[in-house]
Amino acid sequence: MATFFGEVVVAPSRAGVDDESAEEACEETPEDREIRRELEKKREVDVLWTLKSGASAGSSAGEPFACSKFIVAIGRNAAAFLSSFVLDSVCWEVVGVVKLWNEWCRTSNTTNVLPTDSFCLFYQLISDPTVLLCQCSCYVAEDQQFQWLEKVFGCMQKEGLQVTILSTCPVADYKTQESTLTLTSPFLKALKTKEFKEQVCCPLLEQPNIVRDLPAA
Amino acid sequence: MFVPCDRGGGSANPDFKGFTLLMPAVSVGNVGQLAIDLVISTLNMTKVGYFYTDCLVPMVGNNPYATGEENSMELSINAEVYSLPSKKLVVLQIRSPFIKNKYRPFCQALLSWVKSSKCARVVLLSSSHAYQRDDEQLLGTPLRYLLTPDLEKAVGGLMQELNWKEMEKVAAYPGINDTEKVLHIPGGGITKLLFTESCSKGIQMAVLLKFCSEGDNIPDAFALVNYLNEWLQRIKSEVSSNNSTDTSSQWKIPSSWRLLFGNGLPPALF
């Protein structure tokens, strides 16, 4: 199939990939298991918080902290948008960092980053500590996305929490009846849950377009 | 793993006791998934929940079965469950590929959910690489079936009546030892794993698959869903009220199948 609702694979055979590995999994030797475990450990996502409220600086913060608004910018463009228009050192302070490694990038736990680095940082609005912001310019691999999600959101109170996710996609991936050459790009599209009752500032994403990876997670 | 939709007024966990679970394998040509799309769309099934799982690549979009403005804004994710209680049918749709090393955990979680929700049987729609067929398989129907021993007892006779072909086993060591035969479903994704696990867990499962290749798999999806209908129509009431012999017209194509092969042409091309 060329495209299909939910089409996310970029490999030549989009279905039935690696069914051999499914069979090999049941014939794992102890050495294979050990190697796989080591690889999994290397690919673990670590979330380190340095919140003033006394939450421990470790991936397992004691109690979930109060959060009313959480803005997540995924990808270099979205992260740059926040750097240019929202963040500054006066109103925002760094309160957390994600440390991870995959074949595409490695982040570190330093908070002094350059725009060209791969990083994933959390900021808190000083005047209202329940407002959090995340800039994630590193690529979070498929097998790490769920972990990232659970570890980050696991630390927050979800009651009354409003989450806004900013990300970008290539225009070439946008499916529309007209040619993409005639579209005025860049343009905004949104997806929202039914719980989101406020006015959305742009049109909703039409079928059959989809969002994948960390923004989708 | 299963999270019910909050429909307000409905019970917390929908009851699937005695239902048939219809689901796809993510396999060559995505034929199973396309066929499931046709079933959900035609029967206008209601979403009753989704799977919260780390085994599939995340994705999200707006309602793929939207028929108009009013129902086009519901979010849809990678593994969702739909039901039609009047036909005792519950359908799982999977929309993205498996993450490496997550086949087995998914199969285990799925089968344990099948048992706990007391589904009577599972029907898995799948496909296999057409280029792997042997000389005999190249002739005749490209559709095959498989039944777990528990389901064989119940419906084996019906398969004979329908004149269906069982999926052939292949030699485990071709050329060396032709007597030992194993089940081999190349391009079938989790089909074989799910089938063998179901056999060992005593679950009634049927696999319906089609030999096909990547390309425009819409005709393959129609063939598979009509194959399914040959069987399910026998034991349930008519899927559609249309009794015509033109079987492709009774299935409703979902709106998300638009633009399957790319955008409109740029006028500057001409």
Side-chain angles (χ1 to χ4, degrees), chain A residues 1-9 12-23 25-28 36 40 141-147 149-150 171-183 190-195 204-217, chain B residues 6 26-30 33-34 37 52-54 57-66 71-77 93-101 103-104 129 184-190 192-193 214-218 255-268:
Chain A
M1 289 299 309
T3 54
F4 164 73
F5 184 78
E7 166 75 276
V8 290
V9 173
S13 174
R14 56 193 51 72
V17 178
D18 271 14
D19 51 348
E20 317 305 329
S21 74
E23 296 175 29
C26 52
E27 287 145 19
E28 250 186 353
R36 190 166 55 79
E40 274 170 13
E142 275 173 9
D143 57 309
Q144 296 170 316
Q145 287 158 11
F146 195 83
Q147 240 195 95
L149 177 77
E150 294 264 286
V171 174
D173 286 348
Y174 182 64
K175 295 186 188 39
T176 171
Q177 195 58 46
E178 319 117 40
S179 150
T180 45
L181 290 175
T182 55
L183 285 172
L191 283 173
K192 65 172 195 69
T193 61
K194 59 181 187 286
E195 286 80 8
L204 293 181
L205 185 65
E206 315 84 9
Q207 296 81 346
N209 293 286
I210 56 159
V211 175
R212 54 170 296 185
D213 290 330
L214 193 60
Chain B
D6 178 26
V26 180
S27 57
V28 56
N30 303 97
Q33 295 159 286
L34 290 171
D37 255 2
Y52 184 63
T53 172
D54 61 342
V57 174
M59 55 79 44
V60 65
N62 275 322
N63 183 10
Y65 310 111
N71 59 11
S72 67
M73 290 182 323
E74 195 181 328
L75 286 186
S76 217
I77 61 165
Q93 175 62 304
I94 299 176
R95 301 197 171 94
S96 59
F98 285 96
I99 291 173
K100 207 170 155 57
N101 294 324
Y103 292 85
R104 192 166 280 277
H129 284 305
H184 187 48
I185 309 177
I190 57 168
K192 183 177 160 182
L193 184 59
E214 297 280 353
D216 180 357
N217 299 103
I218 294 176
S255 54
S256 58
W257 283 22
R258 281 177 59 234
L259 305 173
L260 278 173
F261 297 103
N263 292 339
L265 294 169

Side-chain angles (χ1 to χ4, degrees), chain B residues 199-229:
Chain B
C199 287
S200 61
K201 289 183 161 71
I203 292 178
Q204 292 194 9
M205 174 181 280
V207 175
L208 269 56
L209 67 84
K210 183 173 194 294
F211 289 116
C212 68
S213 304
E214 297 280 353
D216 180 357
N217 299 103
I218 294 176
D220 299 309
F222 275 108
L224 192 58
V225 84
N226 285 323
Y227 189 53
L228 170 71
N229 209 26

